[in-house]
Amino acid sequence: MNLDLIVFLVLLVLGYVFGQIAEKRHFKSIIEREKALRDVLCFNERHIPDLGPADTTLVAGSVVVSIDYFKRFVAGLRNLVGGRMNAYESLLERARREATLRMKEEARARGATSVWNVRLETASIYKGARQDVGSVEVVAYGTARIPR
Amino acid sequence: MIVTNIEVIPGKTVIKHLGIVNGNTVRAKHAGRDIMASFKNIFGGELKGYTELLQESREEALQRMIEQAQAIGANAVVNVRFSTSSIAAGAAELFAYGTAVVVE
């Protein structure tokens, strides 16, 4: 057996084990925090209805999440046959939910009860060695309404 | 300075429109962070170094936009948008733009 194959298999197993653990843990924490922040309402409506005197301020949250080696390999295989790429779907979902949560956390810290005109922006700072999607960056931002 | 990404500021009226202001920044982390990130690419998970980078760039871009707005005598920036692009691996470009106005 040549060394390259051994390294590849080791990386695959490491990626699978740690990636699964990390993803499960992340989703668990996302769900918990979403419950805790449920009373901070999010809207992508542009006009704030008149609900009494309030201050507004810009709030934002950002996150960079990376995919693991195993999932990237599976996604590469999927690329051959086409179809849904579950590996990337869960990556994007994690990133978007996490960024929204961080935005809500900032809103809560400033005493806001709702966030309006929420926008999500994705980008790519880091690209994998073969220029494939290695990680995704999401910025969520909106206007927080702070009742006076 | 009031910064918001909606068109109006509740309870205030726009009395003067001063045009678009913008701020941008391109930042990179040191190579050590890039190496750490490529390790993380095996295990998956959040790349904390890059999250920090993104946050710093966002604040910097906003700050530059606000400075520009102040320079032309605005007291609020409305309709703020963020835009991101990647020009090189490991570097983040963040661009913030909005409309500078005077409110009362």
Side-chain angles (χ1 to χ4, degrees), chain A residues 14-72:
Chain A
L14 280 178
Y16 181 73
V17 172
F18 287 98
Q20 288 290 315
I21 292 172
E23 188 173 286
K24 280 215 179 89
R25 201 186 289 150
H26 193 194
F27 268 125
K28 215 177 141 197
S29 114
I30 285 176
I31 290 164
E32 263 168 30
R33 281 180 299 150
E34 270 176 354
K35 264 187 197 147
L37 288 161
R38 196 168 278 166
D39 52 325
V40 180
L41 303 171
C42 265
F43 302 93
N44 62 357
E45 169 74 43
R46 291 196 307 191
H47 299 284
I48 303 181
D50 194 9
L51 303 165
D55 290 324
T56 54
T57 180
L58 193 73
V59 286
S62 52
V63 69
V64 182
V65 185
S66 163
I67 200 166
D68 60 65
Y69 197 85
F70 177 77
K71 281 196 164 184
R72 195 167 328 154

Side-chain angles (χ1 to χ4, degrees), chain A residues 64 66 69 117 123-124 126 143, chain B residues 5 41-42 45-47 84 86 90:
Chain A
V64 182
S66 163
Y69 197 85
N117 200 16
S124 193
Y126 183 84
T143 298
Chain B
N5 76 338
N41 257 324
I42 295 168
E46 184 180 349
L47 305 175
T84 45
S86 70

Side-chain angles (χ1 to χ4, degrees), chain A residues 62-64 102, chain B residues 27 29 33 46-59:
Chain A
S62 52
V63 69
V64 182
R102 287 185 183 177
Chain B
R27 278 169 167 255
K29 278 280 176 197
R33 282 286 199 192
E46 184 180 349
L47 305 175
K48 292 227 166 63
Y50 285 137
T51 302
E52 244 168 58
L53 174 70
L54 203 59
Q55 210 160 337
E56 283 164 12
S57 337
R58 203 179 64 216
E59 276 154 22

Side-chain angles (χ1 to χ4, degrees), chain A residues 32-123:
Chain A
E32 263 168 30
R33 281 180 299 150
E34 270 176 354
K35 264 187 197 147
L37 288 161
R38 196 168 278 166
D39 52 325
V40 180
L41 303 171
C42 265
F43 302 93
N44 62 357
E45 169 74 43
R46 291 196 307 191
H47 299 284
I48 303 181
D50 194 9
L51 303 165
D55 290 324
T56 54
T57 180
L58 193 73
V59 286
S62 52
V63 69
V64 182
V65 185
S66 163
I67 200 166
D68 60 65
Y69 197 85
F70 177 77
K71 281 196 164 184
R72 195 167 328 154
F73 174 71
V74 170
L77 289 183
R78 174 60 81 185
N79 232 338
L80 294 177
V81 289
R84 280 182 61 179
M85 281 182 148
N86 273 322
Y88 287 158
E89 280 174 359
S90 74
L91 177 75
L92 284 164
E93 187 191 343
R94 276 164 74 190
R96 295 220 169 93
R97 283 168 82 171
E98 180 70 41
T100 312
L101 272 173
R102 287 185 183 177
M103 181 191 71
K104 281 186 172 188
E105 271 161 15
E106 195 191 328
R108 158 77 57 86
R110 288 172 184 237
T113 51
S114 55
V115 186
W116 295 82
N117 200 16
V118 176
R119 293 281 180 275
L120 287 160
E121 179 78 37
T122 47

Side-chain angles (χ1 to χ4, degrees), chain B residues 16-99:
Chain B
K16 204 172 171 196
H17 178 269
L18 295 165
I20 285 180
V21 284
N22 56 52
N24 81 326
T25 177
V26 181
R27 278 169 167 255
K29 278 280 176 197
H30 55 84
R33 282 286 199 192
D34 290 340
I35 293 165
M36 285 300 287
S38 55
F39 275 124
K40 253 283 152 78
N41 257 324
I42 295 168
F43 304 121
E46 184 180 349
L47 305 175
K48 292 227 166 63
Y50 285 137
T51 302
E52 244 168 58
L53 174 70
L54 203 59
Q55 210 160 337
E56 283 164 12
S57 337
R58 203 179 64 216
E59 276 154 22
E60 176 86 40
L62 262 184
Q63 199 50 45
R64 286 186 185 169
M65 187 189 73
I66 290 168
E67 272 163 25
Q68 199 185 335
Q70 273 165 347
I72 57 170
N75 66 358
V77 185
V78 294
N79 224 348
V80 173
R81 292 284 180 274
F82 286 108
S83 177
T84 45
S85 59
S86 70
I87 40 172
E93 203 228 331
L94 232 127
F95 182 54
Y97 57 103
T99 311

